[in-house]
Amino acid sequence: MTAKRIARLVALAAATLVAATAMAQDKKPVSETEKNYMGAGSSPLADVPMYQSTNPKAPKMTQAEFDKARQIYFERCAGCHGVLRKGATGKPLTTDITLERGTDYLKTFIAYGSPAGMPNWLTSGDFDEATVDLMARYVQQDPPTPPEFSLEDMEKTRKEYVPVAQRPKKKMNNYNINNIMSVTLRDDGTIALIDGDTKEIINIVKTGYAVHISRLSASGRYLYVIGRDARLNLIDLWMEKPDNVAEIKVGLEARSVETSKFKGWEDKIAIAGTYWPPQFVMMDGDTLKPRKVVGTRGMDINNQYHPEPRVAAIVASHQKPEFLVNAKETGKIWMVDYTDLKNLKTTQIDTAKYLHDGGFDASRRYFMTAANASDKIVVIDTKTSKLEAIVDVGKTPHPGRGANFKHPKFGPVWATSGLGDERIDIIGTDPAKNKANAWKVVQTLKGQGGGSLFIKTHPKSNNLWVDTALNPDPKISQSVAVFDIRDLSKEPQVIDIAACAKIGDDGAKRVVQPEYNQKGDEVWFSVWSAKNKQSAIVVVDDKTRTCKTVLNDPRLITPTGKFNVYNTMHDVY
């Protein structure tokens, strides 16, 4: 290596400290787990044609270079820095900042990362030096803007495979619908409907890419699934062989769907929220015909305008005909009255950033949701439609829907695990009978480590299950911890779920998302490997904590989320 080359590397390493300080989101350390989470998954926007403007101050790029860099940005960077580069979980990368920093500075930052969460793209091996240079020049160009997506655009994509008049008038199959599992086959663009009683696959249903969630209509007849590519599918579980009856594309990238649950409104209204454009749409529940689109752009909780508040979790209130919509970047929760779509009434509640996922307490009155960048859990009283509390918890909480149980000392509680550390926080949820403990962390447990995506229990169970799917240690990511909720002073039992699957040594075999069957006596785990590797589902006996059944059908490609019909319909978790 030449002296000049060595001097250059030394200078780059020294500049890293300056770059990390200047551009980091904050000074809190970020684990390898969180870096993996922030950079994981490609965006469906990577292949969407966009408008490109020319900035005379920007470094030169050919059209081919620009197109290549644009794809890399949407696959690797947009999740944190935003589509418009205005900043989301990561810092803004607008041209007023990037042009001032210059190419050499940006190359250093991209190559070596920062302690606050920016991945080290060069030294990790993800990028070579040419790609680092390409991306440093790209972020100095004016950001290309994806197209908007109107109600008219949505309607053009809508398909009714089976019109309402031609659908069954009664259930036409012998399945125990309440115990069907809707299983996301992430990289296959499908879901598997699995009979929870027989463990047999009922149907593999074509859906959007990387289905994020499955939700049930209030009656339990209709299953709604939405992919990252914003394709929403409606599946009729009454059919002889449950399958798609309608679909629509509600935007370019999405994560959330929900349906109306309040008495008198069962199955009538569906709502879906999108990452791009930043908006949500309300539709007819049985046809997916779009009726009302609402944009979320506006002021955040600090009275700063944000052009890209992505819609994260959406839940339906059990207390009144309202949806609760998390606008991620603004830190605001929208309470949306769905009784009159023409004269729509909404209430915006200031909470904390950045809103992500969550679920109800056991009474189904209080919505508990993570503001994961703030290390907080937000509590909304759905009866009054007001903020009840904001609770400090561990680093980067990621509860899924959370876990409700009765604590032997503190009464009804709700628990969350997280991405950033090993903490499992237990929060009191009974202000009526246990006021002293309400909306406080009453106990903290120690799990296996950071990288937890889901925590789960069941009203009929004595167990609290915690996954660690994104932990960098394979021994941890391939196992789960289970606590006895009757005596939480005991150390958790660690169960090697991947070993139960017996699918060989090849593949990541990350164990993700415990999900109970309807009876609460089985827990289902996904053993998630790459698309070209074998995956499986392991069913565990909840009482004995032993592996009971392995589903290793080759059609189960990259299984991740699992949603039991009854538990999802009734918010049992």
Side-chain angles (χ1 to χ4, degrees), residues 255-540:
R255 296 294 188 278
S256 52
V257 64
E258 182 61 289
T259 67
S260 52
K261 292 182 177 178
F262 194 68
K263 187 176 181 180
W265 288 90
E266 298 92 335
D267 295 19
K268 290 187 177 180
I269 306 287
I271 181 173
T274 47
Y275 269 25
W276 188 270
Q279 60 192 32
F280 57 89
V281 57
M282 285 177 280
M283 302 158 279
D284 291 342
D286 56 357
T287 66
L288 302 184
K289 185 173 180 61
R291 297 293 185 183
K292 186 78 171 183
V293 179
V294 180
T296 55
R297 294 179 174 103
M299 309 305 284
D300 67 13
I301 57 173
N302 299 319
N303 295 313
Q304 300 292 318
Y305 178 77
H306 201 291
E308 194 186 337
R310 298 174 290 179
V311 175
I314 302 176
V315 298
S317 172
H318 296 273
Q319 306 296 320
K320 57 178 72 172
E322 283 185 340
F323 293 122
L324 288 79
V325 179
N326 281 358
K328 195 179 186 82
E329 281 73 23
T330 56
K332 295 191 176 189
I333 295 177
W334 293 51
M335 311 293 290
V336 182
D337 183 330
Y338 51 72
T339 59
D340 186 351
L341 300 187
K342 287 188 177 295
N343 302 286
L344 192 70
K345 295 179 182 178
T346 65
T347 300
Q348 295 184 40
I349 302 175
D350 289 359
T351 63
K353 297 180 177 180
Y354 291 108
L355 295 166
H356 193 59
D357 56 353
F360 288 103
D361 77 307
S363 74
R364 301 194 302 183
R365 172 173 173 174
Y366 298 97
F367 176 47
M368 317 278 291
T369 187
N372 52 23
S374 303
D375 304 333
K376 299 180 187 301
I377 294 295
V378 172
V379 185
I380 300 295
D381 184 344
T382 62
K383 187 173 183 178
T384 64
S385 300
K386 293 183 178 180
L387 175 67
E388 181 73 13
I390 297 179
V391 185
D392 291 320
V393 293
K395 188 165 178 56
T396 321
H398 195 287
R401 309 301 294 274
N404 289 299
F405 60 95
K406 188 167 286 187
H407 193 284
K409 181 178 179 181
F410 300 110
V413 295
W414 179 92
T416 181
S417 52
L419 284 157
D421 57 30
E422 73 280 1
R423 281 181 56 167
I424 299 158
D425 290 293
I426 300 174
I427 299 170
T429 60
D430 185 9
K433 297 181 180 179
N434 293 273
K435 187 175 182 179
N437 300 318
W439 321 132
K440 298 176 183 177
V441 175
V442 296
Q443 186 174 0
T444 298
L445 308 177
K446 184 178 180 180
Q448 292 198 84
S452 176
L453 291 176
F454 298 100
I455 185 170
K456 188 75 72 170
T457 188
H458 188 277
K460 296 180 181 179
S461 174
N462 294 317
N463 292 323
L464 179 67
W465 301 85
V466 186
D467 72 17
T468 37
L470 294 184
N471 195 285
D473 184 341
K475 290 183 179 179
I476 295 176
S477 66
Q478 295 177 9
S479 62
V480 296
V482 54
F483 295 83
D484 186 340
I485 59 179
R486 296 168 298 184
D487 184 0
L488 292 168
S489 65
K490 290 192 221 176
E491 290 293 312
Q493 180 182 355
V494 175
I495 301 175
D496 189 342
I497 299 294
C500 293
K502 297 180 180 179
I503 55 175
D505 297 328
D506 205 10
K509 297 184 289 188
R510 292 166 292 198
V511 174
V512 65
Q513 205 219 24
E515 175 74 350
Y516 276 87
N517 63 345
Q518 179 191 3
K519 292 180 179 178
D521 59 5
E522 292 178 350
V523 193
W524 292 40
F525 293 92
S526 296
V527 182
W528 170 29
S529 286
K531 185 176 182 178
N532 61 342
K533 306 295 181 183
Q534 188 175 3
S535 294
I537 292 173
V538 172
V539 181
V540 175

Side-chain angles (χ1 to χ4, degrees), residues 39-223:
S42 62
S43 166
L45 291 173
D47 298 321
V48 175
M50 299 182 190
Y51 169 73
Q52 175 190 353
S53 63
T54 302
N55 190 321
K57 296 181 181 180
K60 292 182 179 180
M61 295 189 80
T62 66
Q63 185 64 50
E65 285 181 320
F66 185 90
D67 291 342
K68 180 180 178 181
R70 178 180 69 85
Q71 181 171 357
I72 293 171
Y73 180 84
F74 284 105
E75 288 178 346
R76 301 297 190 112
C77 314
C80 284
H81 298 287
V83 170
L84 302 180
R85 307 209 302 258
K86 294 284 188 179
T89 306
K91 279 285 187 179
L93 293 175
T94 47
T95 54
D96 60 318
I97 297 171
T98 57
L99 285 169
E100 182 181 343
R101 297 288 191 268
T103 301
D104 288 341
Y105 180 100
L106 293 167
K107 284 168 65 175
T108 301
F109 189 68
I110 294 167
Y112 296 98
S114 83
M118 176 70 174
N120 52 326
W121 294 110
L122 177 66
T123 55
S124 68
D126 289 286
F127 291 176
D128 57 20
E129 289 191 3
T131 305
V132 170
D133 177 73
L134 179 74
M135 298 311 296
R137 288 183 288 130
Y138 174 77
V139 295
Q140 296 176 74
Q141 315 292 324
D142 286 341
T145 305
E148 300 294 322
F149 212 79
S150 68
L151 188 144
E152 182 180 0
D153 294 327
M154 296 178 200
E155 177 61 24
K156 288 178 181 178
T157 71
R158 188 172 67 92
K159 302 173 184 176
E160 279 191 65
Y161 298 113
V162 183
V164 174
Q166 297 176 22
R167 295 177 197 170
K169 306 302 180 185
K170 62 181 181 179
K171 189 165 83 80
M172 301 299 292
N173 58 62
N174 294 321
Y175 299 117
N176 174 13
I177 287 179
N178 280 333
N179 202 32
I180 287 177
M181 293 279 188
S182 174
V183 179
T184 297
L185 304 182
R186 188 188 186 280
D187 296 328
D188 193 47
T190 58
I191 63 159
L193 295 177
I194 301 178
D195 186 330
D197 294 345
T198 66
K199 313 298 187 293
E200 297 293 328
I201 293 176
I202 297 169
N203 197 10
I204 302 291
V205 182
K206 185 64 179 175
T207 62
Y209 169 73
V211 163
H212 195 67
I213 57 171
S214 297
R215 290 290 180 264
L216 274 298
S217 66
S219 69
R221 173 178 183 172
Y222 289 117
L223 175 68

